[in-house]
């Protein structure tokens, strides 16, 4: 706050009232500098009344007084009054000065801080970004007001889990403040405190402690000893001492902070509640549960009153109370408070996920992981016999697994179905950016200087983030339809005779923390089993490390093309850890929906071997889901297919209408460009395509030079999409050193973030199409990545079959499924995906596909049809090895296609090798007649009985 003498110099109407208003403002300013907010408010109110009386209600000086008074009310925790004052000031300033004036930016920043304090992150972020843009444009990039906006936006990003962006913004704000204000300025201490809080959230406690101690030293030197900012710095240091178990140093610092706050703040101020929370956490860790409980309850009561019942800080207090009740063995109360905390978080998540890019959505969901683990650990460790605890754990999994995928899929679908041309144009622009980003990553810098390449990547990445965020903002109808998932709804969607197996990774909660991992133990897996009726059952599957090691061993054994190698020991080892405990809960159920987690997504469960030496495909029908919540989505088909089936095969990898791109140098070549061999034609896939086309009379078949990337991108909801070509999922590669270091031009933080996109799993997986060997420039370079696939319009597509190698692979993410083609096809809108988990045999896949479609034509569901084919192959000695029959899985909607699929005459099905995506020369013909005949026998039998519900 400043006086308005400069505003009024030379005015002939200066009065005693204005002089008095100036004096009152100066006194209020002095009290605010000392942290005496309560005493400053009445002074400013009197000054405001005088200004309005002399200058009128729309004068800029009045707006300044309103803004200053709003800041004081916010500091005192009177958020409703603060908002009213800030809005008045903003309206007056915008009308008098225009929307792009720096003073308008000041009001925007004030409102952003207020909305962030109240937990409204979406509104806060929008205002902060507007304020930053205005200030940078009007004041230049190095002004202290720009640093203020950077800090405001950085704190918001940290709240939402976007730690990388938050850190870069904080560091920039700190650098500006140190240069402009000096390293001992209180605003520098604010930046240091903010950075320390960020590192604490990242669990980098050593770095956080160094910054917090430096901030405290500045605040104690520059400010009065009872200033609220000193209390903030004391708390930050004390929390970090507590993290390393130094309670003797932490407790008195918290107590000193509380004494300051009680002196200068209202007793029900949120900052007081925060100190109560810190002290309660310290007493919980020390085992002093009585003192912890009293402080926790006081913190909760203040937060509910001051911030509202749905504020994130209220959820934090409830979660802490739940942990305390666990320690006190008050299980019923723990379940209740944990459930309340989870509900608040999920309501807030719905609002946050409605905006932002996919990366930002993932970052926010990562901030909820601890509560998810607490809910599960509460049941498994502390209340295994409590039904409400089981229901809470299963409910949190239904709500949170695959939540980002659902949000992105729903946002895309909403805009694709919109009649607004602007919505469809937005999707088109985003799809174009996906293609450009994929092309840049695929080709590398070529002959361009590394600095120029980094700039191009950073610009595209910035466009992607902005367009994905805009897609979320414009998907209002999708957001309005969302409601919290509840367990009874999911249970009602489970078909009769089936069961849902929901498997999740979690970390146990330990009552007493250690200095390395806090309260959390080593990751474990749990499986919940839910039928169409009755209560959920569960089994703890043990620590994640041995189970995941068994997954790796089995995957290696199944992918081994040496068919003399017996994979059954590895399959039995994994079954013993994974499915044998679950079988006890399944009882006689033979139809299983699998919602998996982490690397378990990459396991074909039909290839596991039970205690009797039997493959599970012979015992169960497995239907793969991303989350049990999918069952609700499949109940209502919102969109019909809009185009006939598209079948694409045998791309002309050497053909291209454009000259080849310049030779790439190794310094910037991405992993895919390291593939030295040229892809040879897949002649056998031509017969595969024509055979499949007989099942769909209206289908389009694209072969050779017509089997292009652009042809796939141009589809609009075909009934079926079948792609028979090469597929790939490339291992992660480090960014080449030549791109990271350039003499005289080191990469910016934005450029480094963009370079990391080179190893985005959605850019490391894809399929090869016409022109692949030439990698020509432009949007059709013969490589369709998963990122580009996500932008294709498959809304209404019932089935996508990737008759390729390793199309089901990707980067398995706990809680979010597999980042690869599987995820991309779901985001694009397809209902069901058929894909492979390893390199498929060149002589078997065409027959498998022909038999699969034959079974679909016989009325089988999409999952049942694949199981029938696998059983027939398993029964034939020449195809009994699981390497040959277990590679393909069916993910998504399991039901019948519900469309006319014509069954061609069996005699018209050509025999011969398919030529696979991994075989460069094609394969020798195989004698597959026995298992094909066995399958046709199954078809006849199926017409005489009712199979499992499709």
């Amino acid at each position: 706050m400043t006086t308005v003498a400069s505003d009024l110099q030379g005015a002939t109407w200066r009065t005693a009232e204005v002089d008095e208003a100036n004096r009152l403002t100066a006194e209020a300013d002095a009290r605010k500098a000392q942290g005496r907010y309560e005493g400053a408010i009445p002074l400013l109110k009197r000054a405001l009344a005088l200004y309005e009386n002399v200058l009128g209600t729309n004068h800029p000086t009045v707006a300044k007084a309103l803004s200053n008074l709003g800041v004081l009310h916010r500091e005192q925790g009177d958020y409703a009054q603060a908002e009213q004052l800030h809005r008045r000031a903003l309206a007056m300033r915008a009308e008098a000065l225009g929307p792009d004036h720096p003073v308008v930016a000041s009001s925007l920043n004030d409102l952003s801080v207020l909305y962030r304090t109240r937990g409204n992150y979406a509104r806060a972020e929008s205002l902060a970004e507007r304020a930053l843009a205005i200030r940078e444009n009007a004041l230049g990039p190095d002004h202290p007001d720009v640093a203020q906006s950077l800090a405001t936006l950085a704190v918001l990003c940290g709240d939402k889990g976007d730690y990388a962006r938050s850190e870069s913004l904080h560091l920039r704000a700190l650098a500006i403040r140190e240069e402009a204000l000096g390293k001992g300025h209180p605003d520098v201490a604010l930046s240091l405190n903010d950075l320390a809080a960020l590192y604490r959230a990242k669990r980098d406690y050593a770095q956080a402690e160094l910054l917090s101690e430096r901030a405290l030293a500045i605040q104690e030197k520059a400010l009065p000893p009872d200033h609220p900012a000193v209390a903030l710095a004391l708390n930050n240091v004390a929390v970090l001492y507590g993290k390393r178990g130094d309670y003797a140093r932490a407790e008195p610092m918290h107590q000193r902070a509380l004494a300051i706050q009680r002196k200068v703040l209202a007793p029900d101020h949120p900052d007081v509640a925060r100190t109560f929370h810190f002290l309660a956490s310290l007493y919980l860790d020390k085992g002093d549960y009585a003192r912890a409980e009293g402080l926790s309850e006081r913190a909760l009561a203040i937060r509910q009153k001051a911030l509202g019942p749905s504020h994130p800080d209220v959820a934090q207090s409830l979660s802490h109370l739940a942990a305390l009740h666990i320690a006190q063995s008050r299980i019923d109360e723990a379940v209740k408070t944990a459930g309340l905390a989870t509900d608040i978080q999920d309501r807030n998540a719905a609002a946050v996920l409605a905006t932002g890019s996919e990366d930002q959505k993932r970052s926010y969901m990562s901030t909820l992981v601890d509560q998810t683990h607490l809910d599960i650990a509460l049941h498994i460790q502390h209340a295994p016999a409590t039904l409400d605890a089981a229901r809470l754990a299963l409910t949190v999994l239904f709500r949170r697994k695959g939540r980002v995928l659902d949000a992105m899929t729903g946002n895309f679908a909403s805009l694709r179905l919109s009649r607004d041309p602007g919505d469809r144009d937005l999707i088109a622009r985003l799809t174009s950016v996906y293609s450009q980003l994929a092309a840049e990553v695929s080709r590398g810098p070529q002959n361009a200087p590394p600095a120029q390449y980094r700039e191009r990547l950073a610009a595209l990445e910035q466009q992607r983030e902005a367009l994905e965020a805009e897609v979320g903002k414009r998907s209002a109808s999708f957001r309005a339809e969302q409601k919290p998932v509840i367990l009874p709804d999911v249970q009602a969607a489970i078909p009769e005779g089936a069961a849902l197996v929901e498997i999740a990774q979690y970390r146990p909660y330990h009552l007493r923390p250690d200095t390395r991992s806090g309260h959390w133990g080593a990751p474990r897996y749990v499986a919940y089993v839910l039928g169409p009726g009755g209560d959920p059952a569960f089994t703890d599957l043990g620590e994640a490390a041995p189970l995941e090691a068994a997954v790796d061993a089995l995957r290696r054994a199944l992918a081994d093309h040496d068919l003399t190698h017996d994979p059954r020991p590895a399959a039995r080892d994994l079954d013993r850890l994974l499915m044998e405990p679950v079988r006890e809960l399944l009882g006689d159920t033979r139809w299983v929906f699998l919602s998996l987690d982490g690397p378990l997504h990459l396991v074909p469960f039909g290839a596991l071997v039970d205690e009797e030496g039997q493959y599970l495909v012979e015992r169960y029908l497995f239907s793969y889901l991303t989350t049990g919540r999918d069952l609700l989505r499949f109940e209502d088909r919102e969109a019909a297919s809009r185009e006939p089936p598209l079948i694409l095969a045998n791309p002309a990898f050497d053909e291209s209408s454009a000259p080849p791109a310049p030779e790439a140098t190794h310094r910037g070549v991405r992993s895919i460009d390291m593939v030295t061999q040229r892809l040879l034609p897949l002649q056998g896939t031509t017969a595969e395509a024509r055979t499949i086309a007989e099942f769909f009379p209206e289908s389009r078949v694209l072969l050779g030079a017509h089997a292009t990337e652009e042809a796939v991108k141009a589809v609009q909801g075909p009934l079926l999409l079948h792609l028979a070509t090469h597929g790939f999922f490339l291992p992660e590669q480090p960014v080449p050193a030549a791109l990271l270091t350039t003499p005289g031009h080191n990469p910016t933080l934005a450029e480094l973030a963009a370079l990391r996109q080179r190893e985005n799993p959605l850019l490391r997986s894809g399929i090869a199409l016409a022109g692949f060997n030439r990698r020509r420039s432009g949007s059709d370079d013969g490589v369709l990545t998963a990122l580009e696939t996500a932008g294709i319009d498959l809304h209404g597509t019932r089935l996508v079959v990737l008759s390729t190698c390793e199309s089901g692979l990707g980067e398995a993410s706990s809680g979010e499924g597999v980042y690869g083609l599987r995820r991309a096809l779901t985001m694009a809108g397809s209902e069901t995906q058929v894909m492979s988990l390893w390199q498929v045999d060149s002589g078997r896949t065409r027959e498998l596909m022909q038999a699969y479609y034959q079974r679909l034509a016989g009325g089988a569901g999409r999952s049942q049809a694949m199981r029938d084919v696998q059983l027939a192959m398993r029964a034939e000695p020449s195809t009994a090895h699981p390497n040959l029959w277990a590679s393909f899985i069916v993910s998504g909607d399991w039901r019948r296609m519900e469309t006319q699929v014509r069954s061609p005459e069996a005699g018209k099905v050509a025999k011969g090798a398919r030529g696979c995506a991994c075989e460069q020369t094609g394969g020798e013909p195989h004698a597959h007649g026995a298992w094909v005949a066995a399958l046709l026998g199954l078809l006849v039998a199926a017409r005489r009985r009712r199979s499992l519900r499709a």
Side-chain angles (χ1 to χ4, degrees):
M1 292 181 293
T2 59
T3 66
V4 297
S6 60
D7 296 335
L8 304 178
Q9 282 180 355
T12 59
W13 36 262
R14 177 185 292 274
T15 65
E17 286 85 351
V18 172
D19 288 337
E20 176 65 6
N22 286 340
R23 187 191 68 78
L24 292 168
T25 300
E27 186 176 348
D29 189 36
R31 293 195 181 193
K32 179 179 182 294
Q34 296 171 350
R36 296 158 59 194
Y37 305 134
E38 188 173 6
I41 288 177
L43 296 174
L44 262 186
K45 284 183 176 179
R46 288 164 56 194
L48 175 62
L50 291 170
Y51 287 141
E52 288 180 322
N53 184 52
V54 175
L55 306 176
T57 58
N58 292 319
H59 194 276
T61 300
V62 174
K64 183 184 294 184
L66 288 168
S67 178
N68 291 338
L69 190 56
V71 170
L72 286 174
H73 278 287
R74 187 195 74 222
E75 296 289 358
Q76 280 295 95
D78 188 352
Y79 301 132
Q81 183 65 23
E83 181 176 3
Q84 181 181 349
L85 292 164
H86 282 316
R87 284 191 167 279
R88 280 186 63 195
L90 175 61
M92 292 168 61
R93 287 170 163 175
E95 182 177 357
L97 303 172
D100 298 323
H101 195 280
V103 174
V104 173
S106 178
S107 283
L108 292 171
N109 193 80
D110 288 340
L111 274 170
S112 174
V113 172
L114 176 64
Y115 287 135
R116 180 257 167 184
T117 303
R118 302 182 75 174
N120 191 338
Y121 298 148
R123 295 180 73 180
E125 186 170 10
S126 175
L127 293 168
E129 288 175 339
R130 282 177 58 195
L132 176 60
I134 292 170
R135 283 171 160 174
E136 285 182 320
N137 185 57
L139 305 174
D142 300 321
H143 194 279
D145 286 356
V146 171
Q148 183 191 48
S149 285
L150 289 168
T152 300
L153 191 56
V155 171
L156 272 167
C157 291
D159 288 340
K160 295 172 63 177
D162 191 353
Y163 297 144
R165 188 183 182 206
S166 178
E167 183 176 12
S168 68
L169 293 168
H170 276 312
L171 289 171
R172 186 180 161 200
L174 176 62
I176 293 171
R177 284 170 165 169
E178 286 182 328
E179 179 68 24
L181 305 174
K183 294 187 176 182
H185 195 278
D187 284 359
V188 171
L190 290 178
S191 282
L192 293 171
N193 265 323
D194 288 341
L195 262 175
L198 173 68
Y199 290 132
R200 190 174 74 228
K202 295 172 64 176
R203 294 183 167 89
D204 185 353
Y205 299 133
Q207 182 68 10
E209 186 173 325
L210 288 173
L211 294 174
S212 292
E213 288 178 334
R214 183 181 161 199
L216 177 59
I218 294 172
Q219 300 284 39
E220 289 186 315
K221 183 177 180 180
L223 298 174
D226 57 353
H227 195 284
V230 174
L232 171 68
L234 286 166
N235 271 332
N236 286 344
V237 174
V239 167
L240 292 161
Y241 289 165
K243 291 292 184 184
R244 56 184 173 89
D246 192 349
Y247 304 133
R249 294 180 70 187
E251 184 175 356
M253 296 184 81
H254 281 313
Q255 295 288 4
R256 182 183 160 200
L258 183 60
I260 294 172
Q261 291 168 338
R262 282 175 163 164
K263 181 177 180 181
V264 299
L265 299 176
D268 57 354
H269 192 283
D271 284 357
V272 176
R274 184 177 295 111
T275 304
F276 285 156
H277 172 78
F278 288 149
L279 275 168
S281 297
L282 184 146
Y283 292 137
L284 173 62
D285 292 347
K286 290 176 64 176
D288 189 346
Y289 301 144
R291 296 178 74 181
E293 183 174 6
L295 290 166
S296 292
E297 290 176 344
R298 291 171 70 183
L300 175 61
I302 293 172
R303 286 171 162 177
Q304 287 174 324
K305 179 181 178 181
L307 303 173
S310 296
H311 194 278
D313 287 355
V314 174
Q316 181 190 53
S317 285
L318 288 166
S319 180
H320 184 266
L321 268 174
L324 177 61
H325 291 151
I326 291 172
Q328 296 171 313
S329 300
R330 294 157 59 182
I331 298 303
D332 290 344
E333 292 171 86
V335 173
K336 180 180 178 181
T337 49
L340 291 172
T342 300
D343 286 344
I344 292 171
Q345 289 182 348
D346 289 336
R347 286 197 297 272
N348 291 331
V352 174
L353 293 178
T355 62
S357 67
E358 181 176 11
D359 291 342
Q360 290 168 337
K361 289 176 170 65
R362 288 184 67 188
S363 295
Y364 181 75
M365 289 305 296
S366 71
T367 67
L368 309 184
V369 167
D370 283 355
Q371 184 64 44
T372 302
H373 291 169
L374 181 65
D375 289 346
I376 297 172
L378 168 57
H379 172 229
I380 302 300
Q381 293 176 262
H382 306 286
T386 303
L387 182 57
D388 284 345
R391 288 171 173 160
L392 171 62
L394 194 48
T395 297
V396 77
L397 292 175
F398 288 157
R399 291 181 180 177
R400 296 184 179 179
K401 280 179 73 175
R403 187 73 180 274
V404 174
L405 175 60
D406 265 11
M408 295 297 295
T409 303
N411 289 344
F412 277 34
S414 178
L415 265 62
R416 288 192 180 107
L417 295 175
S418 171
R419 297 182 180 180
D420 184 346
D423 289 344
R424 294 193 294 273
D425 177 67
L426 178 59
I427 288 290
R429 285 188 287 134
L430 178 58
T431 302
S432 174
V433 169
Y434 283 166
S435 295
Q436 294 175 61
L437 187 58
E440 286 288 351
V441 169
S442 176
R443 289 194 300 266
Q446 299 181 331
N447 294 324
Q452 183 179 344
Y453 176 65
R454 292 196 300 261
E455 290 173 2
R456 289 202 309 262
L457 271 185
L460 286 170
E461 179 61 13
Q462 185 177 16
Q463 291 180 54
R464 181 185 73 84
E465 291 267 344
L467 289 170
E468 285 184 352
E470 184 63 23
V471 166
K473 291 177 183 177
R474 298 186 67 154
S475 304
S477 61
F478 169 70
R479 296 198 302 272
E481 294 169 1
Q482 299 305 293
K483 62 179 183 178
V485 174
I486 59 175
L487 189 150
D489 288 347
V490 176
Q491 187 166 33
I494 299 173
E496 288 297 326
L500 169 66
V501 177
E502 189 82 43
I503 298 179
Q505 188 184 105
Y506 77 101
R507 300 185 71 179
Y509 178 80
H510 299 320
L511 299 179
R512 301 300 293 269
D514 62 46
T515 56
R516 290 185 301 172
S517 57
H519 287 278
W520 303 108
R524 302 175 70 87
Y525 281 96
V526 62
Y528 287 93
V529 176
L530 185 67
D535 298 327
F538 79 97
T539 180
D540 188 348
L541 299 173
E543 289 195 0
L547 196 152
E548 291 176 359
V551 167
D552 289 341
L554 176 60
R555 291 184 59 213
R556 288 194 302 270
L558 290 173
D560 190 345
H561 289 293
D562 180 4
L563 301 187
T564 63
H565 174 72
D566 186 2
R568 285 178 296 182
R572 179 70 195 110
D573 288 343
L574 181 56
D575 178 84
R576 187 179 294 107
L577 296 173
L578 181 57
M579 276 301 290
E580 186 173 322
V582 173
R583 274 196 296 277
E584 297 181 11
L585 307 179
L586 288 172
D588 295 331
T589 300
R590 294 293 179 264
W591 183 9
V592 179
F593 290 95
L594 289 172
S595 170
L596 305 171
D597 204 1
L600 300 184
H601 282 286
L602 306 178
V603 174
F605 274 59
L608 300 183
V609 174
D610 66 16
E611 52 271 41
E612 298 177 0
Q614 185 179 28
Y615 283 106
L616 297 195
V617 69
E618 299 170 286
R619 188 169 181 174
Y620 298 103
L621 166 62
F622 292 114
S623 297
Y624 296 86
L625 308 173
T626 299
T627 164
R629 189 176 64 252
D630 286 347
L631 294 169
L632 300 176
R633 180 164 56 90
F634 296 147
E635 282 193 319
D636 298 316
R637 287 191 176 120
E638 298 180 358
S641 57
R642 288 162 284 152
E643 291 182 354
L646 174 63
I647 302 169
L648 186 149
N650 192 21
F653 299 123
D654 287 322
E655 292 190 27
S656 173
S657 59
E663 190 70 23
T665 61
H666 283 293
R667 68 177 183 187
V669 170
R670 178 175 164 270
S671 314
I672 188 171
D673 291 325
M674 298 296 184
V675 180
T676 55
Q677 76 259 37
R678 298 169 65 84
L679 301 182
L680 298 183
L682 302 174
Q683 302 291 354
T685 62
T686 297
E688 176 181 333
R690 289 172 176 161
T691 297
I692 294 167
E694 296 183 32
F695 293 96
F696 299 92
E698 304 299 322
S699 60
R700 287 190 304 144
V701 178
L702 299 179
L703 305 170
H706 300 290
T708 64
E709 180 184 354
E710 287 301 312
V712 178
K713 290 178 179 177
V715 301
Q716 294 185 359
L719 173 69
L720 162 75
L721 179 62
H722 182 101
L723 304 175
T725 180
H726 292 280
F728 62 86
F729 177 70
L730 301 165
E732 185 172 350
Q733 299 284 339
V735 178
L739 291 179
L740 294 175
T741 57
T742 306
H745 189 121
N746 290 325
T748 65
L749 291 172
E751 289 172 353
L752 288 173
L755 284 173
R756 286 194 290 270
Q757 284 295 321
R758 290 168 49 89
E759 298 310 328
N760 182 336
L762 296 184
L763 289 170
R764 290 187 281 122
S765 56
I767 60 173
L769 295 166
F772 175 88
N773 286 341
R774 305 191 72 173
R775 311 283 213 289
R776 65 189 177 98
S777 301
S779 61
D780 191 340
D781 59 1
V783 181
L784 180 65
T785 65
L787 182 65
E788 294 169 283
T789 302
I792 297 174
D793 184 0
L794 297 179
H795 202 65
T797 298
R798 301 290 181 248
L799 179 64
V800 176
V801 177
L802 298 182
S803 185
T804 70
C805 290
E806 301 179 332
S807 52
L809 297 186
E811 188 173 287
S813 170
S814 181
E816 273 297 322
V818 178
Y819 277 78
L821 282 167
R822 193 187 313 192
R823 182 182 187 84
L825 289 167
T826 301
M827 284 177 59
S830 66
E831 289 183 355
T832 308
Q833 307 84 40
V834 176
M835 55 200 69
S836 64
L837 296 174
W838 55 82
Q839 295 181 357
V840 289
D841 177 76
S842 63
R844 314 291 180 180
T845 301
R846 183 170 68 87
E847 272 77 4
L848 184 150
M849 289 298 166
Q850 174 249 315
Y852 179 66
Y853 284 104
Q854 184 76 52
R855 189 68 184 94
L856 290 177
R862 282 164 271 188
S863 295
Q864 180 67 57
M866 183 60 70
R867 178 178 183 249
D868 286 347
V869 174
Q870 291 173 337
L871 286 172
M873 295 180 73
R874 168 83 187 110
E876 173 62 30
S878 64
T879 55
H881 197 286
N883 173 270
L884 303 178
W885 56 260
S887 172
F888 284 93
I889 63 170
V890 180
S891 177
D893 197 339
W894 70 96
R895 295 171 296 183
R896 297 182 180 92
M897 290 280 287
E898 294 189 2
T899 187
Q900 182 60 43
V901 184
R902 188 175 69 186
S903 180
E905 297 178 21
K908 291 186 177 180
V909 177
K911 293 184 179 181
R914 161 196 184 281
C916 167
C918 300
E919 298 283 342
Q920 296 300 310
T921 60
E924 294 300 320
H926 294 271
H928 301 155
W931 76 263
V932 173
L935 178 72
L936 293 176
L938 282 172
L939 287 171
V940 173
R943 293 189 177 98
R944 298 174 182 169
R945 72 183 194 279
R946 182 178 181 85
S947 65
L948 287 169
R949 178 177 168 184

